[in-house]
Amino acid sequence: MNITYKKPTLNDISAMQMLVEPEVETGVILARSNDEIATNIRSYFLAMNEDKLVGFVALHIHSPSLAELRSMIIDTAYRGQNIGTTLVENACEEGRRLGLKEVLALTYQQRFFERLGFIEIPKESIPEHKIWADCIKCKHFPICNEVSLIKTL
């Protein structure tokens, strides 16, 4: 297996939607329209096994100092192979290059992010526009079991 990492093109959107669909259906990941993905295509990082998409994450910038990791998904057959770790590291490295100070993650996978240097923070400290722009779309809102974590870059 030869996993490579790349920035997506608009042609990758359908494969991205197919990969994330099961997690969207369960409510683990928020649904994003093709148009929303296209608008934010530059924020994504893809993991590929030859021509097969096996994972991705987005680095969504909220302010000049804060970004959020969004929509992280790894194909179930490829989990446990450090693909998620590499995707997060790539996103954080881009955040550093851009001059960001912190990266936020809202997740059910707390231990994974803590291993990468993220620290749990109270949800009340998350920027309000984040809650209303994204969380309100979630089928679990307002009763949310996700943990909020942040990493200083």
Side-chain angles (χ1 to χ4, degrees), residues 8-80:
T9 69
L10 296 168
N11 293 329
D12 293 309
I13 293 173
S14 61
M16 293 167 72
Q17 291 285 37
M18 286 177 26
L19 181 60
V20 79
E21 183 179 11
E23 300 291 349
V24 168
E25 288 177 10
T26 63
V28 171
I29 295 179
L30 284 175
R32 307 256 181 228
S33 69
N34 287 347
D35 288 347
E36 187 176 0
I37 294 172
T39 299
N40 295 291
I41 197 73
R42 286 178 247 146
S43 68
Y44 288 90
F45 298 84
L46 305 185
M48 308 292 295
N49 183 17
E50 298 182 16
D51 292 335
K52 177 184 168 72
L53 176 64
V54 298
F56 65 85
V57 70
L59 180 72
H60 181 78
I61 298 173
H62 286 291
S63 73
S65 62
L66 177 69
E68 177 189 2
L69 294 176
R70 289 182 165 181
S71 304
M72 184 162 157
I73 182 73
I74 307 298
D75 185 311
T76 54
Y78 291 84
R79 293 182 185 171

Side-chain angles (χ1 to χ4, degrees), residues 1-146:
M1 182 169 37
N2 184 26
I3 303 298
T4 58
Y5 299 88
K6 71 171 195 162
K7 295 297 275 182
T9 69
L10 296 168
N11 293 329
D12 293 309
I13 293 173
S14 61
M16 293 167 72
Q17 291 285 37
M18 286 177 26
L19 181 60
V20 79
E21 183 179 11
E23 300 291 349
V24 168
E25 288 177 10
T26 63
V28 171
I29 295 179
L30 284 175
R32 307 256 181 228
S33 69
N34 287 347
D35 288 347
E36 187 176 0
I37 294 172
T39 299
N40 295 291
I41 197 73
R42 286 178 247 146
S43 68
Y44 288 90
F45 298 84
L46 305 185
M48 308 292 295
N49 183 17
E50 298 182 16
D51 292 335
K52 177 184 168 72
L53 176 64
V54 298
F56 65 85
V57 70
L59 180 72
H60 181 78
I61 298 173
H62 286 291
S63 73
S65 62
L66 177 69
E68 177 189 2
L69 294 176
R70 289 182 165 181
S71 304
M72 184 162 157
I73 182 73
I74 307 298
D75 185 311
T76 54
Y78 291 84
R79 293 182 185 171
Q81 299 178 42
N82 292 318
I83 295 168
T85 297
T86 303
L87 285 170
V88 169
E89 288 170 348
N90 288 345
C92 288
E93 181 55 36
E94 181 167 288
R96 280 186 204 90
R97 281 194 309 271
L98 293 171
L100 293 168
K101 305 275 189 262
E102 298 175 308
V103 175
L104 172 72
L106 287 167
T107 183
Y108 296 106
Q109 303 298 323
Q110 181 175 358
R111 285 198 278 295
F112 169 80
F113 284 96
E114 286 175 338
R115 283 193 316 266
L116 298 175
F118 286 75
I119 298 166
E120 185 175 0
I121 60 169
K123 286 184 191 163
E124 299 78 35
S125 66
I126 298 171
E128 188 173 309
H129 67 274
K130 162 63 185 160
I131 299 297
W132 295 113
D134 287 324
C135 295
I136 202 161
K137 298 177 200 172
C138 180
K139 63 170 64 174
H140 303 295
F141 184 79
I143 300 168
C144 175
N145 293 325
E146 280 190 315

